[in-house]
């Protein structure tokens, strides 16, 4: 809101005797009056003679929006992506007139953004005034790797030993971001393990999520005695 007075609009009105009072056809203005407004100054002299003339009151809104944000947490999906909206970051932003638009400096996030990301909420009011405030978007990957294994057959060597690797047991394990490492619950075998052995493949992704799946190692001794 804003207002004016007759003395502010008057620019030297006079009378052959003297002026008794001056009034306006309108004193108060609000957001709906932004721009040019024609009003009238009505002047009455001490003998009751009255005349009036028009003036233009130009109402201007120069106040920026009050931008209030909130930090949020986003979770990556199975494709390693996530996104947000201005409405999710906004926490009650306001304006003396009204808000026209709200936008973000960034909406989309992926595996490379895991952790804290500073973005800005930009608010524009109906009269073109703009302000912005930062917020922190924390991106979290909580999806475990998809572990796929295959059974294998191993043969004891002349010393009665053998071994395998995680890559030999892996059969296309994957993750929405990427895999950091793969380990086995048992890599080395000897004569005491002859037969079927259930082992586990543990897969850890780059964000520390872990899952596992079993596989069977068929251990055979095919070396004849000497």
């Amino acid at each position: 809101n804003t207002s004016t007075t007759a003395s502010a609009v008057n620019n030297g009105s006079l009378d052959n005797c003297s002026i008794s009072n001056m009034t306006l056809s309108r004193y108060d203005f609000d957001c709906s009056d932004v721009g040019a407004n024609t009003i009238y100054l009505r002047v009455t002299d001490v003998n009751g003679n009255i005349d009036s003339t028009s003036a233009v009151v130009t109402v201007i809104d120069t106040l920026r929006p009050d931008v209030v944000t909130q930090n949020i947490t986003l979770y990556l999906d199975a494709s390693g992506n996530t996104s947000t909206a201005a409405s999710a970051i906004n926490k009650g932003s306001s304006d003396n007139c009204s808000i026209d638009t709200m936008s973000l400096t960034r909406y989309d996030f992926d595996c490379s953004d895991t952790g804290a990301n500073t973005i800005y909420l930009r608010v524009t009011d109906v009269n073109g005034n703009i302000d912005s405030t930062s917020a922190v978007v924390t991106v979290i990957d909580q999806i475990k790797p998809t572990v796929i294994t295959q059974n294998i057959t191993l043969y004891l060597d002349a010393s009665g030993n053998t071994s395998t690797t995680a890559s030999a047991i892996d059969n296309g394990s994957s993750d929405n971001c990427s895999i950091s490492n793969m380990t086995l619950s048992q890599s080395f075998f000897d004569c005491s393990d002859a037969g079927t052995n259930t082992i586990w493949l543990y897969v850890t992704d780059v964000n520390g999520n872990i899952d596992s799946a079993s596989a069977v190692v068929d251990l055979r001794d095919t070396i004849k005695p000497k």
Side-chain angles (χ1 to χ4, degrees), residues 119-213:
I119 66 171
Y120 287 84
L121 174 64
R122 176 184 170 105
V123 179
T124 305
D125 72 13
V126 291
N127 296 308
N129 299 299
I130 301 170
D131 208 353
S132 62
T133 298
S134 66
V136 174
V137 175
T138 301
V139 176
I140 295 176
D141 172 27
Q142 62 176 9
I143 296 179
K144 295 178 179 180
T146 299
V147 185
I148 304 173
T149 62
Q150 60 186 347
N151 300 330
I152 64 170
T153 299
L154 295 179
Y155 296 88
L156 293 170
D157 62 18
S159 299
N161 299 293
T162 191
S163 64
T164 189
T165 61
S167 59
I169 298 297
D170 178 54
N171 193 28
S173 299
S174 61
D175 186 70
N176 62 327
C177 287
S178 60
I179 291 172
S180 173
N181 65 76
M182 296 187 290
T183 60
L184 294 176
S185 59
Q186 183 178 349
S187 300
F188 297 96
F189 303 85
D190 58 28
C191 294
S192 65
D193 300 305
T196 58
N197 301 267
T198 299
I199 65 171
W200 294 85
L201 173 65
Y202 294 92
V203 179
T204 304
D205 70 14
V206 291
N207 295 308
N209 300 298
I210 302 172
D211 208 353
S212 61

Side-chain angles (χ1 to χ4, degrees), residues 5 7 9 12 22 24 40 44 59 75 78 90 115 122 156 169 171 213 222:
T5 62
S7 60
V9 174
M22 295 185 291
L24 295 176
Y40 288 85
T44 305
V59 177
Y75 296 89
N90 179 49
R122 176 184 170 105
L156 293 170
I169 298 297
N171 193 28
T222 58

Side-chain angles (χ1 to χ4, degrees), residues 46-146:
V46 292
N47 295 308
N49 299 301
I50 301 171
D51 205 358
S52 63
T53 192
S54 66
V56 174
V57 175
T58 302
V59 177
I60 299 174
D61 172 25
T62 59
L63 295 180
R64 295 178 179 180
D66 179 19
V67 184
V68 183
T69 61
Q70 60 185 349
N71 301 330
I72 65 169
T73 299
L74 298 178
Y75 296 89
L76 294 172
D77 62 18
S79 300
N81 299 290
T82 189
S83 63
T84 189
S87 58
I89 300 297
N90 179 49
K91 193 183 180 183
S93 300
S94 60
D95 186 71
N96 61 325
C97 288
S98 61
I99 292 172
D100 183 28
T101 63
M102 294 189 291
S103 61
L104 297 176
T105 52
R106 188 173 183 189
Y107 296 87
D108 301 316
F109 303 86
D110 59 28
C111 292
S112 64
D113 303 304
T114 301
N117 301 267
T118 298
I119 66 171
Y120 287 84
L121 174 64
R122 176 184 170 105
V123 179
T124 305
D125 72 13
V126 291
N127 296 308
N129 299 299
I130 301 170
D131 208 353
S132 62
T133 298
S134 66
V136 174
V137 175
T138 301
V139 176
I140 295 176
D141 172 27
Q142 62 176 9
I143 296 179
K144 295 178 179 180
T146 299

